[in-house]
Amino acid sequence: MKAALDGIKVVDLTRVLAGPYCTMILADLGADVIKVEAPGGSDETRSWGPPFQNGVSAYYLCANRNKRSITVNLKTEEGREIIRKLTKEADVLIHNFKTGSMEKWMLDYDTMKTINPKLVYCSITGFGETGPDRHLPGYDYIIQGLSGLMSITGYEESGPIKIGVAMVDILTGLYSAIAIEAALYEREKSGQGQKIDMSLLDTAVSSLANVASNYLISGNVPKRLGNDHPNIVPYSTFKTMDGEMIIAVGNNRQFSTLCEIIGIPEVGYLEKYKTNDARVKNSKELTRIIENQLQLKPADHWITLFTQNQIPCGPIQTMDQVFTHPQIIAREMVVNFTHPEAGKVKLVGSPIKLSRTKVKMERHPPLAGEHTSEVLQQAGFSKDEIVKLMEEKIV
């Protein structure tokens, strides 16, 4: 059975995380992704570590499986001509160079669409290609601050805290994959490609979801609430006898049941806790009452009882617990690859589960330039031409 994006060719001029994560999703779904770096390898994540396995960065491995790799010197006209030739037969070109770079190299959308009118062209930048900040470089950490994400993460006493993963990069990769797939679908009807202008800042602001909506409707600047929820109580972490656990009560029935289970049924009937609105207003006092009861027993005791009674709850797992969890194993969220340098490596699997056109796991994260000769031959270059390009350090 063919994969969902079988037959789609992607020229990938991205590096680090947002772009490579996007193209890995497309590659997992069957697209032929050609990762382009400068000779020697120019994706910074190749050197980001530790940890390394036999000199190969764990960071690089996390976002580059299922791709082929070529190296091209984009600072030369001959190198840029290779990209134009590859793009002529491609469905998608994606890059994350600063605004203006592709225009300088004559690899911009207006130029490339004359070569290939059906091309879907995706630009990922920090701030987008319009607006006063369009020329500024964009980094996940900086965008977390600018977008307001850090202002709502952490506790009042802790100060602003970044999210523990480069989540803005990940979300931008996801949005970009969605946009590319939408443009490819639309092309089936119109026969035309189009340009996609993706911004880390736009993505981060869109991810504020209900918090942004709360501000836009009320005008109240949200405070850092730590693990608490601004609109729902009890919906947080709670201390037990042997550590913390999560309780996520979403309605009044669940709250009443919770109170019965932990031995304070009368609290569920008090007017100041009976409705969610009332619980939000009296959250600090209610949290103390709940924790006093929870600290009488260990977390596993409460998780078992709450789960049996359909009260949403869970532990706070460490990485070793996550990747030995039976559900994670059953869902094949760890996959094994053999890498020519790193040896046997474990990578996080894909969450996409399609019944017919299944996600593929065929190629290890490539060495820099591992497929240069193969890709150029397929693009029509002769062996002699490829040798000459290598001698002149064009590839």
Side-chain angles (χ1 to χ4, degrees):
M1 181 64 68
K2 291 183 178 180
L5 294 181
D6 186 70
I8 297 297
K9 180 173 285 188
V10 180
V11 176
D12 178 9
L13 301 176
T14 68
R15 63 198 192 283
V16 186
L17 190 54
Y21 200 80
C22 167
T23 55
M24 184 176 72
I25 294 169
L26 301 179
D28 284 352
L29 291 169
D32 178 16
V33 175
I34 301 168
K35 182 178 179 67
V36 182
E37 298 177 71
S42 55
D43 190 326
E44 294 93 327
T45 62
R46 289 185 182 276
S47 63
W48 285 3
F52 297 94
Q53 185 164 312
N54 296 332
V56 181
S57 161
Y59 202 125
Y60 170 76
L61 292 172
C62 85
N64 287 287
R65 66 168 173 252
N66 281 331
K67 304 174 187 180
R68 296 194 288 170
S69 170
I70 69 171
T71 54
V72 179
N73 186 352
L74 295 180
K75 294 180 180 179
T76 66
E77 179 54 32
E78 295 89 344
R80 295 190 288 271
E81 188 56 34
I82 290 172
I83 300 302
R84 296 185 192 106
K85 192 163 186 176
L86 291 175
T87 302
K88 188 175 183 179
E89 303 301 324
D91 299 281
V92 178
L93 183 146
I94 179 170
H95 78 87
N96 62 351
F97 289 106
K98 285 199 306 182
T99 298
S101 298
M102 297 294 272
E103 286 78 5
K104 178 180 65 177
W105 291 334
M106 296 297 289
L107 296 175
D108 56 291
Y109 176 63
D110 287 339
T111 300
M112 302 306 261
K113 73 178 180 180
T114 64
I115 299 171
N116 181 355
K118 292 187 175 182
L119 182 69
V120 172
Y121 185 107
C122 182
S123 162
I124 298 177
T125 58
F127 297 88
E129 296 197 359
T130 60
D133 292 336
R134 64 188 181 278
H135 292 296
L136 295 178
Y139 297 89
D140 178 284
Y141 200 165
I142 295 169
I143 299 298
Q144 285 198 37
L146 276 170
S147 66
L149 273 175
M150 285 179 63
S151 77
I152 59 171
T153 305
Y155 293 88
E156 280 302 300
E157 59 271 23
S158 74
I161 300 291
K162 74 177 180 68
I163 300 170
V165 173
M167 192 56 69
V168 175
D169 279 340
I170 296 296
L171 290 173
T172 304
L174 289 167
Y175 269 112
S176 298
I178 293 167
I180 288 168
E181 289 161 346
L184 289 171
Y185 177 74
E186 192 279 336
R187 189 183 69 174
E188 291 298 304
K189 295 176 282 186
S190 69
Q192 299 179 62
Q194 59 182 302
K195 182 178 180 181
I196 300 165
D197 175 7
M198 295 299 303
S199 154
L200 269 68
L201 182 60
D202 294 351
T203 297
V205 171
S206 76
S207 74
L208 295 172
N210 61 297
V211 177
S213 186
N214 289 349
Y215 166 72
L216 292 173
I217 296 300
S218 71
N220 296 323
V221 176
K223 297 180 179 180
R224 288 183 293 278
L225 298 176
N227 292 321
D228 296 342
H229 195 288
N231 305 111
I232 312 172
V233 173
Y235 201 102
S236 186
T237 55
F238 293 86
K239 294 176 183 177
T240 70
M241 177 183 286
D242 62 349
E244 291 184 297
M245 64 174 289
I246 298 167
I247 299 174
V249 164
N251 58 52
N252 297 330
R253 179 195 60 77
Q254 289 175 351
F255 176 67
S256 177
T257 304
L258 170 75
C259 291
E260 291 180 14
I261 293 172
I262 65 176
I264 49 172
E266 68 282 359
V267 172
Y269 298 100
L270 294 177
E271 287 299 320
K272 62 179 178 178
Y273 304 132
K274 195 172 183 180
T275 66
N276 181 69
D277 183 57
R279 293 194 293 273
V280 171
K281 292 175 182 176
N282 297 286
S283 62
K284 290 184 179 180
E285 181 183 354
L286 179 59
T287 296
R288 284 195 298 270
I289 293 171
I290 292 173
E291 282 195 334
N292 285 340
Q293 295 301 114
L294 294 178
Q295 288 176 1
L296 298 175
K297 300 285 184 180
D300 284 348
H301 169 82
W302 297 120
I303 289 172
T304 299
L305 285 180
F306 293 161
T307 301
Q308 289 172 350
N309 288 275
Q310 298 181 326
I311 303 297
C313 66
I316 301 169
Q317 297 194 138
T318 54
M319 288 299 116
D320 55 324
Q321 294 170 319
V322 169
F323 289 108
T324 55
H325 194 285
Q327 186 67 13
I328 296 298
I329 295 169
R331 296 290 290 174
E332 298 180 337
M333 287 307 297
V334 178
V335 293
N336 296 294
F337 281 88
T338 300
H339 189 277
E341 289 183 349
K344 293 183 178 180
V345 295
K346 292 182 177 181
L347 301 178
V348 177
S350 172
I352 301 172
K353 316 295 185 187
L354 298 173
S355 65
R356 288 190 303 105
T357 55
K358 296 183 183 296
V359 165
K360 66 171 190 175
M361 297 288 170
E362 296 179 352
R363 296 183 182 274
H364 60 262
L367 305 176
E370 183 176 349
H371 306 95
T372 298
S373 294
E374 173 184 301
V375 171
L376 292 184
Q377 284 184 50
Q378 291 174 352
F381 289 87
S382 69
K383 290 184 179 180
D384 289 341
E385 287 174 323
I386 295 170
V387 169
K388 184 179 179 183
L389 288 167
M390 289 181 173
E391 290 175 345
E392 295 177 351
K393 301 188 186 306
I394 306 299
V395 299

